[in-house]
C-alpha cells in the first residue's frame, strides 16, 4: 500500500463518516472552519497513545472555548479506525468520558466518528496512518493528526504523538 504524508497545501478528499449520534458527516461540511483531525482506537490499552491524544484534544477544545471568535471558526474530529467495535454508542460513551458529559451540546464542537472499512483504508493512506489488524482482534497502528484549513487543504501535519497542545 502506498501511503501519503500530508503536506502543506494538499487538498483533503471529502471522506464520509458516521458520528457518535449515528449521523453521516463529511469533511467538506467543515469547509470555512479550521478542522483538527486525528485517529483513535477506543480500546487502545496504551495510555501514551490514543488516550493521550484524546486528552490533548479535550484540552485544545477547552482552550478554544475561551476565545469565542476562534471557537466558532474551528472544529475537532476524532476518527476511529475500528469500525467493527466503535459503534456510535461506543464513540459517544468514549467521547463523554473525555468531555465530562454526553449531552448533545458536549459534541457541538467535537465529533467522534468512524468510516466504513473501504473509506477507512483510503483515509489511512491519505493521512499516513498504518493499521494492522492482529489475529487476537487488537489493532497495531501509527499516530497521525492533521490541521486542515478553512479551504479544505492541509495546514500542518503532526506525525506521532509528540506534538503538544501549545504547538497546535
Amino acid at each position: 500500500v502506498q501511503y501519503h504524508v500530508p503536506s502543506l497545501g494538499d487538498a483533503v478528499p471529502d471522506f464520509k463518516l458516521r458520528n457518535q449520534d449515528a449521523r453521516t458527516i463529511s469533511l467538506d461540511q467543515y469547509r470555512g472552519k479550521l478542522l483538527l483531525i486525528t485517529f483513535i482506537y477506543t480500546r487502545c490499552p496504551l495510555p501514551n497513545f490514543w488516550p493521550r491524544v484524546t486528552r490533548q484534544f479535550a484540552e485544545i477544545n477547552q482552550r478554544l472555548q475561551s476565545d469565542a471568535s476562534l471557537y466558532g471558526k474551528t472544529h475537532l474530529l476524532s476518527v476511529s479506525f475500528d469500525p467493527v467495535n466503535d459503534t456510535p454508542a461506543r464513540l459517544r460513551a468514549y467521547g463523554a468520558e473525555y468531555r465530562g458529559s454526553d449531552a448533545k451540546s458536549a459534541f457541538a464542537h467535537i465529533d467522534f466518528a468512524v468510516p466504513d472499512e473501504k473509506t477507512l483504508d483510503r483515509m489511512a493512506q491519505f493521512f499516513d496512518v498504518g493499521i494492522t489488524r492482529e489475529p487476537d482482534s487488537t489493532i497495531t497502528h501509527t499516530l497521525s493528526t492533521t490541521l486542515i484549513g478553512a479551504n479544505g487543504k492541509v495546514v500542518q501535519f503532526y506525525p506521532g504523538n509528540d506534538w503538544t497542545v501549545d504547538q497546535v
Side-chain angles (χ1 to χ4, degrees):
V1 174
Q2 184 70 22
Y3 284 85
H4 165 265
V5 177
S7 299
L8 179 64
D10 287 349
V12 178
D14 182 29
F15 297 111
K16 294 192 179 357
L17 309 100
R18 191 171 34 123
N19 75 359
Q20 72 282 338
D21 297 323
R23 271 186 319 120
T24 299
I25 61 172
S26 70
L27 297 191
D28 273 0
Q29 81 184 56
Y30 302 108
R31 289 280 175 108
K33 294 185 176 195
L34 291 167
L35 177 65
L36 187 63
I37 183 173
T38 197
F39 292 81
I40 61 170
Y41 171 36
T42 65
R43 298 180 304 128
C44 184
L46 304 172
N48 287 329
F49 284 82
W50 296 121
R52 176 181 179 207
V53 171
T54 302
R55 283 191 306 274
Q56 289 172 303
F57 260 51
E59 185 177 340
I60 289 167
N61 191 64
Q62 186 175 24
R63 286 193 191 182
L64 287 169
Q65 280 181 307
S66 67
D67 182 339
S69 68
L70 187 55
Y71 191 72
K73 296 176 188 171
T74 59
H75 195 82
L76 306 177
L77 177 60
S78 292
V79 177
S80 168
F81 49 75
D82 187 8
V84 172
N85 293 291
D86 286 341
T87 63
R90 174 67 189 125
L91 290 170
R92 177 171 272 291
Y94 181 81
E97 192 177 318
Y98 290 92
R99 297 289 302 128
S101 169
D102 89 340
K104 187 170 182 133
S105 62
F107 297 94
H109 192 255
I110 185 168
D111 278 286
F112 292 82
V114 65
D116 61 39
E117 292 276 347
K118 186 177 176 183
T119 302
L120 174 61
D121 290 342
R122 291 190 345 262
M123 288 184 84
Q125 289 171 26
F126 183 85
F127 290 106
D128 193 32
V129 178
I131 302 169
T132 304
R133 289 165 183 81
E134 304 294 340
D136 66 355
S137 83
T138 61
I139 298 174
T140 302
H141 57 82
T142 60
L143 303 157
S144 164
T145 302
T146 305
L147 180 61
I148 301 169
N151 62 357
K153 295 183 178 182
V154 172
V155 173
Q156 184 69 44
F157 174 66
Y158 304 95
N161 66 343
D162 292 333
W163 55 269
T164 67
V165 171
D166 288 334
Q167 287 173 319
V168 175

